[in-house]
Amino acid sequence: MAAPWAARGLRAAKRYISTPAVSRLTSDEVVRMRNELFTKEKERQLSLHPRIEKIEVKYTGKPHPGTVFVMNKALSTPYNCAMHLSEWHCKNSVLAFVDGEVWDMYRPLTKSCEIQFLTFKDEDPEEVNKAYWRSCAMIMGCVLKRAFKDEYSVNLVKAPEVPVISGAFCYDVVLDNKLNDWKPTNDNFCSFTRDAKKLIYQDLPFETLHVEAKVAREMFQHNKYKMEMIERKAAQNMEGIVPLHRFGDFVDVSEGPHIPRTSFCFQYEITAAHNLQTDQSELIRRFQGVSLPVHLKAHHTVWHKLLERSKRLVTEEEYLETAEQCLEAKDGTEEGKHVSV
């Protein structure tokens, strides 16, 4: 079989999403439609606050605990607060802790609150590690969506929430059934990785937007797997709100929060793809990869071991086992605290 992927410059606008319930659109049209709807909804939400209201944000971390920032409601973000502290906080803060809730650095603050910042080198980096892993998976999903020739459909299913100690971040994908016999080669994985690194080098911010389910349905009407995810997420709260995330022009339904920018990734490789045994009629493949952030660079020997480990299939059963290992890893050791992969 001829190679199913194409060079970036040859990826024209003739990729199709295979969903029988709606008319087919090219992948470029789907991406553009979701991006435009995301922007339109973001602008609508901003218009709900025509007058700038002030809020007080009290910093409770170190140094300078008790510092109070006067910020703009629904406009200012934790990153804006970090700018008032130091360049170090801007470069090293991965997430914010807002009134006890883990918060994206670029998610606007909606009321007066208390805030502190989370980094990779905190005593307990669990939430930071989880955000990093899901962001790496979202980057991989973006790459896979655009990596194949126009005649092959690519449907993103989900990015399983697996802990970093499992050894690999994942994204489940359904490829065109004409590719059922295709097995990715090392050259294919190198191509995927090059595309991911291009996104990383662009230093794209991760944006968060909480929308009504009907808005999310309009965006993802061409993907039955995302439609099912939207219904599940909407059912988890009384308001039927669904969290969406975007970097560049790529919008996804995923868990949150995410890291601030793609450039937080440093060493990054897409390493494996496994066929999953499911009750679905379509063949679901689990693509996997591994990464370390710019704050935690590894020696090439260690990195090679991590690459090999990331090729093993990460399963839901292993998730339960590794979740227990995560708890055991919090033993105060340097390895358990920081380099969780």
Side-chain angles (χ1 to χ4, degrees), residues 4 12 65 92-93 120 132 142 144 151 212 238 272 298 303 318 333 341:
N92 291 276
S93 298
F120 285 107
Y132 185 73
C142 176
L144 295 172
E151 62 263 34
E212 295 180 6
M238 295 291 293
W303 178 241
E318 185 180 5
T333 65
V341 295

Side-chain angles (χ1 to χ4, degrees), residues 13-17 24-36 222:
K14 291 184 179 179
R15 291 168 292 220
Y16 295 100
I17 304 299
R24 291 188 174 191
L25 298 177
T26 68
S27 282
D28 285 345
E29 288 171 336
V30 170
V31 169
R32 184 164 57 251
M33 178 264 292
R34 289 175 183 164
N35 185 46
E36 289 174 354
H222 302 89

